[in-house]
Amino acid sequence: MAAKRLFDDSDRDAQEPSDKRIRPNRPSLASIIGEVVMVKNMQNLFSAGLEPLLRRVVNEEVERVIMRHHHPYTRSPSLRIEAAAASSSEQSPKLQLMFTNKLSLPIFTASRILDIQGNPMQVILVDRTNKDQIVRTSLPYPIKLELVVLDGDFPGGSNGDSDDESWCSEQFKRHIVKERTGKRPLLTGELSLTMRDGIAAMSGEIEFTDNSSWIRSRKFRVAVRVAPNQQGGLRIREGFTEPFVVKDHRGELYKKHHPPMLEDEVWRLEKIGKDGAFHKKLSAEGINTVQEFLKLSVLDPQLLRKILGVGMSEKMWEVTIKHAKTCKMGNKAYMYSGSNCTIYLNPICQLIRADINGQILLGRDLNTINKSYLEKMVREAYGRWNELEEIDHAILNDNAALLTQGMLKSCVGIICIILSWTQTNSISQFIWQK
């Protein structure tokens, strides 16, 4: 029995190898998944890396052949965009951001930045393909923009103009001015803009927090660029304003007015500083406003020079008077009446009309007829200025026009009578001779 079991075991062992050779070799599930992943990676590598590389190489080769043989060729829009993206670092940009108007100067800290017309600044997109012509344009999608501060010396050209082509994006970035250590952001307000249809409006609340005296150029520029997080293949050149000085807000309290107003304090005039020697001398004589300064300059300029003293040179006097005379007079006139005369003065005590015993004097007649008497009346009116009757200057102009019209009618009537008499006299002489 033992021998039989041994024979059976040996027989089974001899048959097992043959069974394994006959059974087919099937791949496992893990090997199948691994092959699929490898194929997918190869496809991704080709689409992400090789395909753009091959496309760029093909484009470059095609353009090189075209340029070599000078054949006319028009590229499709998609090809133009790709070519612009590939050569953006080699070609100068054709699109540029630009401010529509100049700034309203001077600019002070904590004061709104507006254009020369008093409106918020606007940014437009222009095409600079032709350097001699600026053409407004737009893109079919919105553009995110950012406002920054530049050094006033940028771009460093001879004229300092934005037309200077001797700068690039990297130079622009290097000249951006940041706040001083421990200070607030140099420019505050809504600094992010969105350009649609080729235009973007700035907020009217943009302000500087620091003056420009601490940088070498002593000047800033407000600049606009495409936001860094929206840089694409198409390069848009940055734009900036003219260089300007930013002064501390406290300086605005002492600045001169151009032109001055009648009610302005007298130290608003050039060469007269607030709480300075000239200011104190004028205040001591009751001259506190620009109007009072001008009235005395008309009535007695020598007295006014005496009040100011020898410290005001002839040149300084000319500057002050010239500035004061730019003052807007307004529409007011003042009437002063005497026993048989009524005079009319403008706000700075200049005689503009006189009625003497029913005779109206205007213009040149005021300096020729009864001149000394009228000067006496003007001095009396100056001394009693607060008692004068205030009237509208337009009424005087209307009366003067009516008077002139009446005089013209009278003159025309007299001329007609003379011509009629001359004609009749000539006919009589003719009949007498016959």
Side-chain angles (χ1 to χ4, degrees), residues 57-71:
V57 171
V58 171
N59 287 339
E60 291 178 353
E61 290 299 326
V62 171
E63 290 184 358
R64 186 177 295 108
V65 171
I66 292 173
M67 294 299 296
R68 185 182 302 167
H69 295 282
H70 301 283
H71 287 168

Side-chain angles (χ1 to χ4, degrees), residues 39 149 179 309 335:
V39 171
V149 180
E179 66 274 9
M335 182 176 67

Side-chain angles (χ1 to χ4, degrees), residues 304-323:
L304 182 58
R305 289 295 306 272
K306 184 178 179 180
I307 293 172
L308 293 170
V310 296
M312 175 164 281
S313 64
E314 186 67 27
K315 186 176 181 179
M316 294 172 64
W317 167 256
E318 292 177 357
V319 171
T320 304
I321 286 294
K322 183 178 179 180
H323 182 209

Side-chain angles (χ1 to χ4, degrees), residues 407-421:
M407 293 176 63
L408 287 175
K409 289 182 178 180
S410 300
C411 291
V412 170
I414 294 173
I415 292 172
C416 290
I417 293 173
I418 294 175
L419 290 175
S420 178
W421 179 84

Side-chain angles (χ1 to χ4, degrees), residues 197-210:
D197 299 326
I199 187 169
M202 291 172 52
S203 168
E205 302 301 326
I206 297 175
E207 301 174 351
F208 279 96
T209 62
D210 199 358

Side-chain angles (χ1 to χ4, degrees), residues 310-407:
V310 296
M312 175 164 281
S313 64
E314 186 67 27
K315 186 176 181 179
M316 294 172 64
W317 167 256
E318 292 177 357
V319 171
T320 304
I321 286 294
K322 183 178 179 180
H323 182 209
K325 288 183 177 180
T326 62
C327 182
K328 296 180 179 180
M329 299 299 173
N331 296 322
K332 294 180 180 180
Y334 299 86
M335 182 176 67
Y336 175 70
S337 299
S339 57
N340 59 348
C341 176
T342 300
I343 61 174
Y344 300 87
L345 308 170
N346 68 6
I348 62 173
C349 211
Q350 288 177 325
L351 185 62
I352 55 178
R353 173 176 168 174
D355 297 348
I356 304 177
N357 293 326
Q359 182 183 8
I360 299 177
L361 303 179
L362 299 168
R364 296 179 180 178
D365 292 340
L366 297 173
N367 296 322
T368 57
I369 302 175
N370 295 323
K371 182 178 180 180
S372 58
Y373 176 71
L374 292 177
E375 288 178 351
K376 178 183 176 183
M377 290 285 294
V378 170
R379 288 183 178 275
E380 291 179 3
Y382 175 80
R384 306 174 64 178
W385 187 265
N386 294 331
E387 302 175 13
L388 303 186
E389 181 181 352
E390 184 178 301
I391 61 174
D392 192 345
H393 197 287
I395 298 176
L396 293 179
N397 292 337
D398 293 341
N399 291 339
L402 292 174
L403 176 63
T404 303
Q405 185 178 2
M407 293 176 63

Side-chain angles (χ1 to χ4, degrees), residues 137-299:
T137 185
S138 63
L139 295 177
Y141 49 86
I143 310 172
K144 295 293 184 181
L145 306 179
E146 179 187 31
L147 296 174
V148 295
V149 180
L150 289 182
D151 190 327
D153 279 346
F154 181 81
S158 58
N159 56 1
D161 192 3
S162 60
D163 291 337
D164 186 2
E165 299 293 337
S166 62
W167 57 274
C168 64
S169 181
E170 291 302 320
Q171 290 174 318
F172 179 92
K173 293 178 183 178
R174 288 197 298 268
H175 284 81
I176 292 178
V177 181
K178 298 293 185 179
E179 66 274 9
R180 288 190 278 182
T181 304
K183 294 281 188 177
R184 297 169 54 200
L186 186 56
L187 199 63
T188 62
E190 187 58 46
L191 305 183
S192 297
L193 311 177
T194 301
M195 173 172 281
R196 291 184 174 88
D197 299 326
I199 187 169
M202 291 172 52
S203 168
E205 302 301 326
I206 297 175
E207 301 174 351
F208 279 96
T209 62
D210 199 358
N211 63 64
S212 59
S213 63
W214 52 278
I215 63 174
R216 186 179 60 83
S217 66
R218 302 291 192 272
K219 293 181 179 180
F220 290 146
R221 290 181 189 263
V222 174
V224 60
R225 65 175 178 175
V226 177
N229 57 0
Q230 190 176 310
Q231 288 291 352
L234 187 61
R235 163 116 162 86
I236 300 178
R237 197 178 181 92
E238 302 83 359
F240 42 82
T241 66
E242 68 277 15
F244 54 85
V245 174
V246 177
K247 302 178 181 179
D248 282 327
H249 180 70
R250 59 179 178 268
E252 188 173 11
L253 301 176
Y254 298 89
K255 74 175 183 179
K256 308 302 180 182
H257 289 173
H258 296 272
M261 305 298 290
L262 290 172
E263 61 273 13
D264 280 347
E265 294 179 274
V266 71
W267 55 264
R268 295 288 186 182
L269 297 176
E270 297 288 348
K271 305 303 179 183
I272 301 177
K274 184 177 182 180
D275 298 326
F278 298 143
H279 184 202
K280 292 179 180 179
K281 291 179 180 179
L282 292 170
S283 297
E285 298 295 329
I287 303 172
N288 298 308
T289 66
V290 173
Q291 182 180 15
E292 292 168 346
F293 181 91
L294 284 169
K295 285 194 299 182
L296 186 56
S297 70
V298 170
L299 188 70

